[in-house]
Amino acid sequence: MDDTPGWDAIDAALRPLYGDVQPYHLGTVIKWALGGPDPLDGISVYARTEPVPHWHFVSYGMSELYGKESSDPDESGWGFEFTFRLVRDPADAEPPPWAANLLQNLARYVFSSGNWFEAGHHMNVNGPIAADREDSQIRAVAFVTDPELGEIATPHGRVEFLQVVGLAAEEYEALRQWDAASFLTAIAPHLPLFVTDIDRPSLLADPELARAVREGIARDGSSSGALFVNTAHWELDGAATTLRIGALQAEAIAQALRGRLPFGRTLLLQTEDTRMVFQPAGAYAVVETEDGRLDVSLPPEALDDVVAALRPVAGSTPVAALPGLTVEIVPTHMRDRYGNETGEVVG
């Protein structure tokens, strides 16, 4: 198309960094709007040598590249474009295809679900981010504003360059127990420009960094007020309540409760069709609201017993401190990144 003001604005933002260097460009044959499988119309990749050799991926397609279609004059499309920085072997002439597939998969999630990303958001991808590298510890992502590209104004509204940062599973658990911005600030000196290296071990192997993170968690608690989970259901029978939780997320929910309720904060468990809210209170109560949400009020003295019941083992555990409350853990059937059951069962 001849009229590409959004695309041109991205190119203009890249020019101060890369001048007239021609990137390695990956285009989409059949556009998403025409029924194609890939939401991004293109991905440009630049070879960098500083501060470490890496590939710099930049997407085209999360913002409005051509005409203005959305009703929001202040934001272009979803309001961001993806970037990704990946360690590069100086001998490599081309970037690895899996990295472009990762960005397309993230874009596909946004277009399909309607859930967008912002700086500070994070996601467990349920496997290595490099699909062909089962030995990689890098199995989650977080999002930061690209430290070099930032945010731009385009003819169709603002666009933030949102950088994908690969995290080890251990790092991701620590991030969820603390605060994404604080955790990413703590690891920034160890990841110049937040370049992802799928071959690295967890940064928390560094005793000093691990101690700083533990202290931050203890001091600040968790800023993650919502967890999107597969199973968070309930059954009410008079004075008896059964909370039904999936085994895969049981430990994460336990950690989140410890990081939220003692600090006076609530925790929302969200599934495709239910919402369950835990809130700190002086007395135990369970209330099903008119809009179908379950509110569970927990006094401080009951928290340890509730957390103890949230183990990734199938079965029912009465909560001793709260007569009438039972936590039931149900098995989780694992799925791959394409939504197909793998045959693996947790719990």
Side-chain angles (χ1 to χ4, degrees):
M1 297 180 67
D2 293 332
D3 190 17
T4 58
W7 193 298
D8 296 341
I10 296 171
D11 285 346
L14 292 167
R15 200 162 292 121
L17 275 181
Y18 298 113
D20 295 326
V21 171
Q22 291 300 307
Y24 184 91
H25 190 77
L26 300 160
T28 299
V29 177
I30 302 177
K31 299 185 185 301
W32 179 269
L34 300 178
D38 297 325
L40 300 176
D41 284 10
I43 300 172
S44 285
V45 192
Y46 295 86
R48 293 282 295 268
T49 57
E50 299 293 339
V52 295
H54 69 276
W55 300 105
H56 190 191
F57 294 74
V58 181
S59 77
Y60 294 76
M62 301 304 297
S63 60
E64 292 164 305
L65 304 175
Y66 313 110
K68 179 66 178 174
E69 298 179 0
S70 73
S71 59
D72 187 346
D74 298 324
E75 281 201 345
S76 177
W78 294 99
F80 65 88
E81 290 288 352
F82 290 114
T83 74
F84 181 50
R85 298 174 189 265
L86 178 66
V87 162
R88 175 177 67 89
D89 184 334
D92 288 346
E94 298 180 358
W98 70 260
N101 291 336
L102 171 67
L103 298 186
Q104 289 286 11
N105 284 337
L106 291 171
R108 198 172 293 115
Y109 167 79
V110 173
F111 275 73
S112 299
S113 70
N115 299 322
W116 63 91
F117 296 115
E118 298 177 1
H121 285 187
H122 44 84
M123 172 184 283
N124 184 342
V125 300
N126 295 323
I129 66 170
D132 59 347
R133 287 294 306 276
E134 285 295 331
D135 60 333
S136 174
Q137 294 189 39
I138 308 304
R139 293 170 173 259
V141 296
F143 298 89
V144 299
T145 302
D146 188 295
E148 291 185 319
L149 294 175
E151 180 182 309
I152 61 172
T154 79
H156 298 148
R158 66 176 283 277
V159 174
E160 179 181 13
F161 290 98
L162 200 59
Q163 184 171 321
V164 181
V165 182
L167 297 176
E170 181 186 26
E171 296 162 0
Y172 181 66
E173 290 304 313
L175 178 149
R176 288 196 307 103
Q177 293 176 56
W178 192 12
D179 169 74
S182 298
F183 181 82
L184 291 166
T185 297
I187 68 171
H190 303 265
L191 292 181
L193 290 183
F194 290 108
V195 173
T196 293
D197 179 358
I198 62 170
D199 294 318
R200 69 171 177 81
S202 168
L203 297 173
L204 297 179
D206 181 326
E208 291 298 315
L209 177 59
R211 189 187 79 251
V213 170
R214 287 194 304 271
E215 291 174 351
I217 294 171
R219 180 184 65 245
D220 304 329
S222 172
S223 67
S224 297
L227 293 179
F228 294 89
V229 299
N230 294 327
T231 305
H233 301 102
W234 58 87
E235 184 177 323
L236 303 180
D237 183 11
T241 300
T242 299
L243 306 182
R244 197 162 287 119
I245 304 295
L248 178 64
Q249 286 108 7
E251 289 185 320
I253 294 169
Q255 292 171 348
L257 287 172
R258 285 204 181 281
R260 299 287 297 177
L261 269 62
F263 295 86
R265 303 167 190 159
T266 62
L267 176 68
L268 166 67
L269 304 184
Q270 176 84 56
T271 74
E272 289 185 355
D273 56 0
T274 67
R275 291 181 298 154
M276 184 185 298
V277 176
F278 291 91
Q279 53 196 23
Y284 168 62
V286 175
V287 177
E288 193 169 31
T289 66
E290 292 184 358
D291 61 357
R293 187 185 72 236
L294 188 74
D295 290 343
V296 183
S297 299
L298 294 180
E301 61 271 16
L303 181 59
D304 285 346
D305 283 354
V306 173
V307 166
L310 289 164
R311 296 176 294 110
V313 179
S316 296
T317 303
V319 178
L322 302 173
L325 179 64
T326 298
V327 175
E328 180 183 351
I329 305 298
V330 299
T332 300
H333 296 268
M334 297 296 290
R335 297 178 181 271
D336 62 21
R337 67 192 64 215
Y338 306 107
N340 303 311
E341 288 195 6
T342 65
E344 181 184 358
V345 178
V346 176

PDB file of all heavy atoms in Angstrom, residues 289-307:
ATOM      1  N   THR A 289     -21.662 -12.757  45.171  1.00  0.00           N
ATOM      2  CA  THR A 289     -22.279 -11.486  44.790  1.00  0.00           C
ATOM      3  C   THR A 289     -23.319 -11.689  43.687  1.00  0.00           C
ATOM      4  O   THR A 289     -23.392 -12.740  43.054  1.00  0.00           O
ATOM      5  CB  THR A 289     -21.205 -10.497  44.315  1.00  0.00           C
ATOM      6  OG1 THR A 289     -20.610 -10.991  43.100  1.00  0.00           O
ATOM      7  CG2 THR A 289     -20.112 -10.332  45.377  1.00  0.00           C
ATOM      8  N   GLU A 290     -24.092 -10.652  43.447  1.00  0.00           N
ATOM      9  CA  GLU A 290     -25.147 -10.734  42.432  1.00  0.00           C
ATOM     10  C   GLU A 290     -24.591 -10.974  41.040  1.00  0.00           C
ATOM     11  O   GLU A 290     -25.268 -11.558  40.194  1.00  0.00           O
ATOM     12  CB  GLU A 290     -25.985  -9.450  42.449  1.00  0.00           C
ATOM     13  CG  GLU A 290     -26.832  -9.279  43.711  1.00  0.00           C
ATOM     14  CD  GLU A 290     -27.705  -8.048  43.651  1.00  0.00           C
ATOM     15  OE1 GLU A 290     -27.614  -7.312  42.636  1.00  0.00           O
ATOM     16  OE2 GLU A 290     -28.473  -7.820  44.604  1.00  0.00           O
ATOM     17  N   ASP A 291     -23.383 -10.503  40.783  1.00  0.00           N
ATOM     18  CA  ASP A 291     -22.804 -10.698  39.445  1.00  0.00           C
ATOM     19  C   ASP A 291     -22.005 -12.000  39.351  1.00  0.00           C
ATOM     20  O   ASP A 291     -21.282 -12.223  38.377  1.00  0.00           O
ATOM     21  CB  ASP A 291     -21.926  -9.509  39.046  1.00  0.00           C
ATOM     22  CG  ASP A 291     -20.745  -9.297  39.987  1.00  0.00           C
ATOM     23  OD1 ASP A 291     -20.640 -10.038  40.993  1.00  0.00           O
ATOM     24  OD2 ASP A 291     -19.928  -8.405  39.724  1.00  0.00           O
ATOM     25  N   GLY A 292     -22.154 -12.875  40.377  1.00  0.00           N
ATOM     26  CA  GLY A 292     -21.552 -14.198  40.274  1.00  0.00           C
ATOM     27  C   GLY A 292     -20.137 -14.315  40.780  1.00  0.00           C
ATOM     28  O   GLY A 292     -19.508 -15.363  40.620  1.00  0.00           O
ATOM     29  N   ARG A 293     -19.596 -13.299  41.421  1.00  0.00           N
ATOM     30  CA  ARG A 293     -18.257 -13.357  41.993  1.00  0.00           C
ATOM     31  C   ARG A 293     -18.322 -13.946  43.388  1.00  0.00           C
ATOM     32  O   ARG A 293     -19.293 -13.734  44.112  1.00  0.00           O
ATOM     33  CB  ARG A 293     -17.662 -11.956  42.050  1.00  0.00           C
ATOM     34  CG  ARG A 293     -16.200 -11.903  42.477  1.00  0.00           C
ATOM     35  CD  ARG A 293     -15.725 -10.474  42.613  1.00  0.00           C
ATOM     36  NE  ARG A 293     -16.288  -9.836  43.791  1.00  0.00           N
ATOM     37  CZ  ARG A 293     -16.994  -8.701  43.770  1.00  0.00           C
ATOM     38  NH1 ARG A 293     -17.255  -8.084  42.639  1.00  0.00           N
ATOM     39  NH2 ARG A 293     -17.479  -8.185  44.905  1.00  0.00           N
ATOM     40  N   LEU A 294     -17.286 -14.682  43.787  1.00  0.00           N
ATOM     41  CA  LEU A 294     -17.206 -15.186  45.163  1.00  0.00           C
ATOM     42  C   LEU A 294     -16.181 -14.370  45.926  1.00  0.00           C
ATOM     43  O   LEU A 294     -15.011 -14.302  45.536  1.00  0.00           O
ATOM     44  CB  LEU A 294     -16.813 -16.660  45.190  1.00  0.00           C
ATOM     45  CG  LEU A 294     -16.897 -17.285  46.594  1.00  0.00           C
ATOM     46  CD1 LEU A 294     -18.353 -17.506  46.990  1.00  0.00           C
ATOM     47  CD2 LEU A 294     -16.120 -18.600  46.664  1.00  0.00           C
ATOM     48  N   ASP A 295     -16.603 -13.737  47.012  1.00  0.00           N
ATOM     49  CA  ASP A 295     -15.711 -12.983  47.888  1.00  0.00           C
ATOM     50  C   ASP A 295     -15.414 -13.824  49.127  1.00  0.00           C
ATOM     51  O   ASP A 295     -16.340 -14.224  49.846  1.00  0.00           O
ATOM     52  CB  ASP A 295     -16.339 -11.655  48.306  1.00  0.00           C
ATOM     53  CG  ASP A 295     -16.432 -10.661  47.159  1.00  0.00           C
ATOM     54  OD1 ASP A 295     -15.736 -10.870  46.143  1.00  0.00           O
ATOM     55  OD2 ASP A 295     -17.200  -9.694  47.282  1.00  0.00           O
ATOM     56  N   VAL A 296     -14.139 -14.070  49.368  1.00  0.00           N
ATOM     57  CA  VAL A 296     -13.709 -14.858  50.527  1.00  0.00           C
ATOM     58  C   VAL A 296     -12.915 -13.943  51.452  1.00  0.00           C
ATOM     59  O   VAL A 296     -11.827 -13.487  51.101  1.00  0.00           O
ATOM     60  CB  VAL A 296     -12.852 -16.062  50.104  1.00  0.00           C
ATOM     61  CG1 VAL A 296     -12.474 -16.898  51.331  1.00  0.00           C
ATOM     62  CG2 VAL A 296     -13.592 -16.917  49.080  1.00  0.00           C
ATOM     63  N   SER A 297     -13.455 -13.657  52.620  1.00  0.00           N
ATOM     64  CA  SER A 297     -12.769 -12.816  53.603  1.00  0.00           C
ATOM     65  C   SER A 297     -12.003 -13.717  54.559  1.00  0.00           C
ATOM     66  O   SER A 297     -12.582 -14.625  55.163  1.00  0.00           O
ATOM     67  CB  SER A 297     -13.786 -11.966  54.381  1.00  0.00           C
ATOM     68  OG  SER A 297     -14.492 -11.116  53.503  1.00  0.00           O
ATOM     69  N   LEU A 298     -10.701 -13.445  54.701  1.00  0.00           N
ATOM     70  CA  LEU A 298      -9.852 -14.283  55.545  1.00  0.00           C
ATOM     71  C   LEU A 298      -9.226 -13.471  56.671  1.00  0.00           C
ATOM     72  O   LEU A 298      -8.560 -12.463  56.411  1.00  0.00           O
ATOM     73  CB  LEU A 298      -8.734 -14.927  54.718  1.00  0.00           C
ATOM     74  CG  LEU A 298      -9.135 -15.950  53.649  1.00  0.00           C
ATOM     75  CD1 LEU A 298      -7.892 -16.474  52.939  1.00  0.00           C
ATOM     76  CD2 LEU A 298      -9.917 -17.098  54.269  1.00  0.00           C
ATOM     77  N   PRO A 299      -9.380 -13.899  57.913  1.00  0.00           N
ATOM     78  CA  PRO A 299      -8.670 -13.248  59.021  1.00  0.00           C
ATOM     79  C   PRO A 299      -7.206 -13.677  59.019  1.00  0.00           C
ATOM     80  O   PRO A 299      -6.859 -14.754  58.518  1.00  0.00           O
ATOM     81  CB  PRO A 299      -9.408 -13.764  60.260  1.00  0.00           C
ATOM     82  CG  PRO A 299      -9.971 -15.084  59.833  1.00  0.00           C
ATOM     83  CD  PRO A 299     -10.294 -14.947  58.370  1.00  0.00           C
ATOM     84  N   PRO A 300      -6.321 -12.887  59.572  1.00  0.00           N
ATOM     85  CA  PRO A 300      -4.881 -13.187  59.527  1.00  0.00           C
ATOM     86  C   PRO A 300      -4.532 -14.551  60.119  1.00  0.00           C
ATOM     87  O   PRO A 300      -3.654 -15.247  59.591  1.00  0.00           O
ATOM     88  CB  PRO A 300      -4.257 -12.051  60.345  1.00  0.00           C
ATOM     89  CG  PRO A 300      -5.248 -10.935  60.294  1.00  0.00           C
ATOM     90  CD  PRO A 300      -6.589 -11.594  60.232  1.00  0.00           C
ATOM     91  N   GLU A 301      -5.222 -14.949  61.182  1.00  0.00           N
ATOM     92  CA  GLU A 301      -4.844 -16.194  61.854  1.00  0.00           C
ATOM     93  C   GLU A 301      -5.188 -17.436  61.018  1.00  0.00           C
ATOM     94  O   GLU A 301      -4.726 -18.538  61.335  1.00  0.00           O
ATOM     95  CB  GLU A 301      -5.519 -16.287  63.226  1.00  0.00           C
ATOM     96  CG  GLU A 301      -7.033 -16.301  63.194  1.00  0.00           C
ATOM     97  CD  GLU A 301      -7.650 -14.908  63.234  1.00  0.00           C
ATOM     98  OE1 GLU A 301      -6.910 -13.924  62.979  1.00  0.00           O
ATOM     99  OE2 GLU A 301      -8.853 -14.818  63.525  1.00  0.00           O
ATOM    100  N   ALA A 302      -5.984 -17.278  59.956  1.00  0.00           N
ATOM    101  CA  ALA A 302      -6.369 -18.430  59.132  1.00  0.00           C
ATOM    102  C   ALA A 302      -5.497 -18.576  57.888  1.00  0.00           C
ATOM    103  O   ALA A 302      -5.567 -19.593  57.205  1.00  0.00           O
ATOM    104  CB  ALA A 302      -7.834 -18.309  58.715  1.00  0.00           C
ATOM    105  N   LEU A 303      -4.668 -17.571  57.597  1.00  0.00           N
ATOM    106  CA  LEU A 303      -3.922 -17.581  56.337  1.00  0.00           C
ATOM    107  C   LEU A 303      -3.008 -18.789  56.217  1.00  0.00           C
ATOM    108  O   LEU A 303      -2.944 -19.440  55.160  1.00  0.00           O
ATOM    109  CB  LEU A 303      -3.112 -16.284  56.190  1.00  0.00           C
ATOM    110  CG  LEU A 303      -2.297 -16.152  54.908  1.00  0.00           C
ATOM    111  CD1 LEU A 303      -3.190 -16.236  53.682  1.00  0.00           C
ATOM    112  CD2 LEU A 303      -1.516 -14.840  54.904  1.00  0.00           C
ATOM    113  N   ASP A 304      -2.292 -19.131  57.287  1.00  0.00           N
ATOM    114  CA  ASP A 304      -1.357 -20.259  57.218  1.00  0.00           C
ATOM    115  C   ASP A 304      -2.075 -21.561  56.870  1.00  0.00           C
ATOM    116  O   ASP A 304      -1.568 -22.373  56.087  1.00  0.00           O
ATOM    117  CB  ASP A 304      -0.602 -20.419  58.540  1.00  0.00           C
ATOM    118  CG  ASP A 304       0.469 -19.362  58.733  1.00  0.00           C
ATOM    119  OD1 ASP A 304       0.801 -18.682  57.747  1.00  0.00           O
ATOM    120  OD2 ASP A 304       0.966 -19.218  59.864  1.00  0.00           O
ATOM    121  N   ASP A 305      -3.249 -21.785  57.436  1.00  0.00           N
ATOM    122  CA  ASP A 305      -3.984 -23.021  57.163  1.00  0.00           C
ATOM    123  C   ASP A 305      -4.486 -23.060  55.715  1.00  0.00           C
ATOM    124  O   ASP A 305      -4.483 -24.116  55.074  1.00  0.00           O
ATOM    125  CB  ASP A 305      -5.167 -23.162  58.122  1.00  0.00           C
ATOM    126  CG  ASP A 305      -4.723 -23.609  59.514  1.00  0.00           C
ATOM    127  OD1 ASP A 305      -3.532 -23.905  59.689  1.00  0.00           O
ATOM    128  OD2 ASP A 305      -5.574 -23.653  60.416  1.00  0.00           O
ATOM    129  N   VAL A 306      -4.930 -21.934  55.208  1.00  0.00           N
ATOM    130  CA  VAL A 306      -5.384 -21.895  53.808  1.00  0.00           C
ATOM    131  C   VAL A 306      -4.207 -22.151  52.866  1.00  0.00           C
ATOM    132  O   VAL A 306      -4.306 -22.939  51.912  1.00  0.00           O
ATOM    133  CB  VAL A 306      -6.046 -20.538  53.489  1.00  0.00           C
ATOM    134  CG1 VAL A 306      -6.362 -20.431  51.993  1.00  0.00           C
ATOM    135  CG2 VAL A 306      -7.320 -20.368  54.312  1.00  0.00           C
ATOM    136  N   VAL A 307      -3.088 -21.508  53.134  1.00  0.00           N
ATOM    137  CA  VAL A 307      -1.894 -21.701  52.305  1.00  0.00           C
ATOM    138  C   VAL A 307      -1.436 -23.159  52.356  1.00  0.00           C
ATOM    139  O   VAL A 307      -1.055 -23.744  51.332  1.00  0.00           O
ATOM    140  CB  VAL A 307      -0.764 -20.748  52.760  1.00  0.00           C
ATOM    141  CG1 VAL A 307       0.566 -21.154  52.152  1.00  0.00           C
ATOM    142  CG2 VAL A 307      -1.113 -19.311  52.379  1.00  0.00           C
TER     143      VAL A 307
END
